[in-house]
Amino acid sequence: MMIVVVWRRYLLIPRLTLAALGAPRSQSRAWERYWAGVTRTGPGGDVLWEADEPAENELLAEVLRRHADPDRPMVDLGCGSGRQAYALTGFASRVIGIDGSAAAVARASGAFTGLTFRVADIASPGLGERLHDEFGDANAHIRGVLHVLDDDARRAVAANVAALLGECGTLFLSETNHTGDPLDYLLDQGARPTRLPPLVHRLISAGVRAPRRFGAEEVAEAFPDDAWQVLEQGATEVYGVPLEPGGPVQRIPAWYAAVRTRRSRP
């Protein structure tokens, strides 16, 4: 069995290279290309991570009730098609979804009281200060974003979050935490040397970076103890749509955390 897995890893590389031919190197362009090609969202749609399983939103609601002030605006950073932003309206009366892809934001936007969307790179220097100038101390939500960012981008996002939270805001994050490397992750998602599941192929052909693990160690690196308080964290799962029609919902190992800045008021 081990020999089969090793050969699958080895033979998968040419398949991935072929799938990514012509894809942009820029991650902002890759995500724009990805979202521009999406035709359906939600369960049964084209987006791998939009299974809408209740367990995720139940954990989110429980943690926010323990640690976040519902009277403050909620900013969903990396909102994609806006499904989590809509869910967050059950907690906060004002929700702002932000994503770097104009195609994603165009898909997300719609008439819904207290919910707005805008296009911005969440790693852009100064974004946190600009948002704080507009909304004051706010809460923030990040799901499935940090695990596809490099270390510099993670630090830039954390700096923006710190500015946005101010003294009273709380960040809830949830990221995949697969124990293997990106090839192991793709193998677990059904990637094979002879075939890539269509939902996986869509991401690779767009040029989107493969996810890395994000657990307690990565929380400590992105939100170091000298500047951040980890209010709680732990293992969980995020859910993905079935890789094949009629297949099971994906249950992907993940890590969640709720954090505040050290300058937060009790």
Side-chain angles (χ1 to χ4, degrees):
M1 182 65 179
M2 180 62 68
I3 293 174
V4 172
V5 172
V6 170
W7 273 102
R8 277 181 178 169
R9 284 174 57 87
Y10 178 76
L11 295 173
L12 185 58
I13 295 172
R15 181 75 184 185
L16 298 175
T17 302
L18 182 63
L21 282 177
R25 292 187 178 184
S26 161
Q27 285 301 285
S28 60
R29 290 177 57 205
W31 280 110
E32 185 64 21
R33 177 172 173 167
Y34 172 77
W35 281 110
V38 168
T39 58
R40 296 174 302 159
T41 58
D46 302 332
V47 183
L48 196 64
W49 50 89
E50 291 193 345
D52 282 359
E53 287 293 297
E56 274 200 72
N57 285 336
E58 288 167 3
L59 173 64
L60 170 62
E62 290 170 6
V63 175
L64 289 177
R65 281 196 294 267
R66 284 194 288 270
H67 301 296
D69 180 354
D71 292 330
R72 299 195 175 277
M74 172 66 74
V75 181
D76 186 16
L77 295 165
C79 67
S81 70
R83 300 190 74 81
Q84 286 297 110
Y86 281 92
L88 287 164
T89 60
F91 176 79
S93 60
R94 186 176 188 186
V95 178
I96 304 93
I98 298 177
D99 200 276
S101 166
V105 169
R107 179 170 288 279
S109 298
F112 196 90
T113 302
L115 175 60
T116 57
F117 295 93
R118 62 183 62 179
V119 179
D121 178 358
I122 66 170
S124 174
L127 177 66
E129 286 84 354
R130 293 191 295 274
L131 292 173
H132 189 270
D133 288 345
E134 184 174 355
F135 301 117
D137 289 3
N139 298 313
H141 172 266
I142 298 176
R143 176 185 182 263
V145 176
L146 299 173
H147 70 167
V148 294
L149 299 181
D150 63 27
D151 292 342
D152 288 342
R154 285 179 180 177
R155 286 189 286 268
V157 171
N160 281 330
V161 171
L164 172 62
L165 301 186
E167 295 183 340
C168 300
T170 299
L171 166 68
F172 175 93
L173 67 89
S174 177
E175 300 287 338
T176 62
N177 189 34
H178 194 282
T179 55
D181 63 21
L183 279 179
D184 293 322
Y185 187 87
L186 290 171
L187 285 167
D188 280 356
Q189 288 188 313
R192 296 294 181 266
T194 56
R195 183 176 181 273
L196 298 176
L199 297 180
V200 175
H201 187 277
R202 183 185 298 275
L203 284 160
I204 294 169
S205 62
V208 172
R209 182 182 289 117
R212 300 187 290 159
R213 66 177 305 173
F214 197 97
E217 182 177 339
E218 288 71 28
V219 169
E221 290 173 355
F223 304 96
D225 186 63
D226 61 338
W228 294 87
Q229 308 172 62
V230 178
L231 306 172
E232 69 172 276
Q233 62 179 323
T236 184
E237 291 179 321
V238 297
Y239 298 87
V241 300
L243 290 167
E244 303 291 348
V249 169
Q250 298 181 76
R251 302 169 67 97
I252 304 167
W255 194 262
Y256 82 92
V259 302
R260 289 187 190 137
T261 65
R262 283 286 177 193
R263 67 179 184 275
S264 295
R265 294 184 303 210

